[in-house]
Amino acid sequence: MLSFRFLALAFSTVVAASPSSLVLHEHRARAPPGFASKGRVSDGHMLTLRFGLASNNIAGLQDKLLSISTPGSRDFRQWLSQDEVNVKEFMAPSTETINAFNTFASVNGLKPSIISPNGDWVSVTLPVSKANNLFGAAYTNYTHPDLPAPITRTLSISLPAELAGHVEVIHPSTAFTAPVARRVPSRSVSKHKRNAAAPADCDTSNPKNNITPACLQSLYNIPTTPATHMNNTLLVTGYVEEWAEVDDLQAFLAQFRPDLPSNQTFVTTLLDGGSNPQGPGIAGPEADLDVQYAAGIASGVPLQFLSVGTFESDFPTSVLDTTTFLASAAQLPTVVTTSYGLNEEFWGASLATKVCDAFAGISARGVSFLFSSGDGGVSGNHDDGVDCGLFITVFPASCPWVTTVGSTIGFNPEVAVNFTGGGFSSIFPTPPYQTTAISNFLKTLPPSFPGNGKFNSTNRAYPDLSLQGMNFLISARGEVGQTAGTSASTPSVAGMVALMNDRLIAEGKPVLGFLNPFLYGNEGAFNDVVEGHNSGFRCPASSVAFDAAPGWDPVSGLGTPNFPDLLAAALA
């Protein structure tokens, strides 16, 4: 099988840096919009750098993952063990790479610490002056009006020649963080219908109508029968101090899923200083939304809430540490849902690629990753109503080894919502499972399409599928509220996947794991969405964007799933 290795380095150029023995690794012409330089960091300031070492056989891992996730393959759904992924063949660095880095560290008086289970990430703490000297950097303090504190970054980073080919990432360096903001507001619904049950009260093309678990169950034929297997955990991630409230979950279930036990809760796990305090008025609407619809759809499936970092944490680091945490776990959740992301330009190619590789390694162990496609339409997280039609994509949504979810509104017909993030990655090439779908969509674009030239049509595109995403009712801070976004659709899809896993386990079959080849191989299990224009929530409908079309498109993906059809395909 042809190796599927990510070679696109959209933000980097590799050239010899004369007269020193440094090789330029990654470079930005300028900081991302909104950041202001506040001068060089003092020489004596201690800086902790993370080094992503080259894994032994990522191309082989990607080939293997495609094979075990593709229907009809001889090893279909024969998920790998932790040892097989991390040590024996794929993720661990080669002996040559380990020796090269250790020699460099020893010669320069550095003391590296291994921070990943397979040894492909190490950290080193050193003075800024030494970092600047060793890596041809100029570490500088940058501020952003929406960040609580300055961050330390450099616009250029180089590698000593002896590390070229052995080190893939240095972080922090040229990858910037940014606020992870919701683009679609939450609001009270005291004047709106509060007990929606399909069909009449669930048609959100009428703004006074709402979505509840009963709506989704009716629209997509999702069963209400509780799960029976406790070794099938659905994990909800939480970042930037978005906290999930147990009382809110129980109030939500009491009103909208009274058939379930009223005392349902979730297991909380903390990482990187994360917390999840309980009490009136402190819950985060995002975390409440994610947990409530995961629980409301995945009837009886055990839930875990992973709270990572604080409001001041660097989001790329938090996501990286999430992958390290999961890779270290002997017992993994079967489904992970995440409603957060940053524009690819903030990550840069090297860090995004390394993190995406980590998702591939965990997926190969039988985990389904669901990510929201973002709420800024075709402009990524830059939907400001002023600069429109930017064709910006979001990561991790753009990673080929995760499943990305967009949003729809109404039914008869179901229409892709304008805020649904969708487009073509600037980093990752088209994965094999998506080649035909993308080719067919591109044929629907006229030569005069005003977006031509603004996106790379040879790259990975998303979303992969969609679900209702407008006017979701949640319980938050003691009252019922209404919210919207692809972050409403995503945990709902995750709940459906977890329920399918329960049925598979009951039949003695492996769980779904990495979904995408299976989904693209079963287009008939989806309700095709052929209307919608993802101009953005704030940008006018007249601004250039993608339009939904028959079959897969970068607005609605494959469409919305019909549970019985998808389950039947999974059981076949």
Side-chain angles (χ1 to χ4, degrees):
M1 184 180 294
L2 179 66
S3 293
F4 182 52
R5 178 65 177 138
F6 299 138
L7 297 178
L9 294 178
F11 300 99
S12 63
T13 308
V14 180
V15 296
S18 180
S20 72
S21 59
L22 294 178
V23 176
L24 182 62
H25 179 64
E26 207 155 26
H27 171 75
R28 288 180 179 271
R30 62 190 64 84
F35 284 91
S37 170
K38 295 300 179 182
R40 296 280 289 269
V41 181
S42 63
D43 287 348
H45 178 77
M46 299 303 290
L47 180 65
T48 297
L49 296 178
R50 299 180 180 218
F51 295 83
L53 305 184
S55 295
N56 184 48
N57 189 10
I58 287 297
L61 172 65
Q62 293 167 352
D63 285 345
K64 184 66 173 178
L65 179 54
L66 286 171
S67 179
I68 60 180
S69 60
T70 300
S73 170
R74 289 185 302 172
D75 54 357
F76 181 48
R77 291 193 185 137
Q78 294 180 22
W79 307 117
L80 305 182
S81 69
Q82 181 181 28
D83 190 47
E84 287 172 324
V85 171
N86 291 354
V87 180
K88 288 185 178 178
E89 296 184 54
F90 301 121
M91 297 295 290
S94 67
T95 301
E96 180 184 6
T97 289
I98 294 171
N99 289 340
F101 190 83
N102 286 343
T103 299
F104 168 79
S106 178
V107 167
N108 289 284
L110 305 178
K111 297 180 179 180
S113 300
I114 297 174
I115 58 172
S116 68
N118 42 43
D120 64 333
W121 281 97
V122 299
S123 70
V124 172
T125 299
L126 71 172
V128 164
S129 58
K130 194 166 191 174
N132 286 339
N133 182 56
L134 289 176
F135 304 109
Y139 276 99
T140 300
N141 285 321
Y142 289 90
T143 60
H144 188 285
D146 294 328
L147 290 179
I151 62 172
T152 299
R153 296 294 187 271
T154 177
L155 298 183
S156 181
I157 194 82
S158 297
L159 291 174
E162 61 268 30
L163 293 185
H166 298 296
V167 170
E168 295 178 328
V169 185
I170 301 177
H171 183 70
S173 60
T174 59
F176 280 65
T177 191
V180 184
R182 283 180 56 78
R183 292 291 175 183
V184 183
S186 302
R187 53 193 180 273
S188 170
V189 292
S190 58
K191 296 182 180 180
H192 291 187
K193 298 175 183 177
R194 296 176 54 162
N195 291 294
D201 294 340
C202 302
D203 184 357
T204 51
S205 59
N206 178 343
K208 290 189 175 182
N209 287 339
N210 303 296
I211 292 292
T212 66
C215 293
L216 301 178
Q217 288 160 348
S218 179
L219 289 171
Y220 304 118
N221 300 303
I222 304 169
T224 60
T225 307
T228 58
H229 295 274
M230 295 300 101
N231 59 338
N232 173 36
T233 301
L234 196 171
L235 185 145
V236 177
T237 60
Y239 301 96
V240 293
E241 296 186 2
E242 278 283 333
W243 300 321
E245 181 74 34
V246 173
D247 286 348
D248 287 345
L249 171 61
Q250 293 179 351
F252 174 83
L253 294 176
Q255 179 164 357
F256 299 114
R257 285 300 309 272
D259 55 314
L260 296 178
S262 61
N263 62 346
Q264 181 167 346
T265 185
F266 48 83
V267 174
T268 298
T269 303
L270 308 179
L271 183 65
D272 288 357
S275 59
N276 194 43
Q278 301 293 294
I282 61 174
E286 180 63 71
D288 266 351
L289 167 65
D290 292 350
V291 166
Q292 288 169 24
Y293 276 85
I297 297 302
S299 307
V301 170
L303 292 183
Q304 181 179 4
F305 179 68
L306 178 65
S307 178
V308 187
T310 69
F311 188 74
E312 295 185 359
S313 295
D314 173 68
F315 180 68
T317 299
S318 295
V319 175
L320 167 60
D321 287 349
T322 300
T323 65
T324 299
F325 165 79
L326 291 170
S328 302
Q331 183 69 37
L332 285 167
T334 63
V335 184
V336 178
T337 180
T338 300
S339 295
Y340 305 82
L342 288 179
N343 292 345
E344 283 183 335
E345 65 176 329
F346 288 101
W347 290 81
S350 66
L351 181 58
T353 299
K354 189 69 172 174
V355 171
C356 188
D357 289 343
F359 286 124
I362 302 163
S363 295
R365 294 173 60 190
V367 178
S368 302
F369 283 100
L370 285 300
F371 278 85
S372 60
S373 70
D375 296 340
V378 79
S379 295
N381 287 343
H382 193 78
D383 178 28
D384 61 2
V386 178
D387 296 316
C388 300
L390 299 179
F391 291 84
I392 293 173
T393 42
V394 173
F395 182 85
S398 63
C399 173
W401 311 117
V402 307
T403 301
T404 303
V405 183
S407 290
T408 59
I409 182 173
F411 53 88
N412 294 326
E414 198 167 11
V415 177
V417 187
N418 60 359
F419 59 69
T420 294
F424 291 75
S425 172
S426 62
I427 298 174
F428 303 104
T430 302
Y433 61 78
Q434 206 178 30
T435 303
T436 299
I438 289 178
S439 176
N440 290 339
F441 169 74
L442 292 174
K443 294 173 185 176
T444 71
L445 295 179
S448 59
F449 177 59
N452 286 337
K454 294 185 176 183
F455 62 94
N456 188 336
S457 63
T458 66
N459 279 0
R460 152 74 164 156
Y462 66 86
D464 299 300
L465 75 163
S466 292
L467 203 81
Q468 291 283 313
M470 278 296 292
N471 295 3
F472 273 50
L473 294 185
I474 64 170
S475 178
R477 304 182 180 183
E479 64 179 15
V480 172
Q482 186 190 68
T483 189
T486 57
S487 53
S489 313
T490 306
S492 303
V493 172
M496 295 174 69
V497 174
L499 273 187
M500 291 182 199
N501 282 339
D502 181 75
R503 306 305 191 261
L504 287 167
I505 294 169
E507 295 291 328
K509 295 178 179 291
V511 296
L512 290 167
F514 177 50
L515 294 166
N516 292 4
F518 166 69
L519 299 180
Y520 283 83
N522 287 281
E523 287 191 49
F526 291 85
N527 310 301
D528 197 9
V529 176
V530 298
E531 294 184 30
H533 181 75
N534 67 338
S535 52
F537 187 73
R538 292 185 170 88
C539 285
S542 58
S543 59
V544 60
F546 291 114
D547 291 311
W552 178 89
D553 58 70
V555 188
S556 67
L558 294 166
T560 56
N562 183 37
F563 187 97
D565 291 346
L566 208 54
L567 178 61
L571 289 169

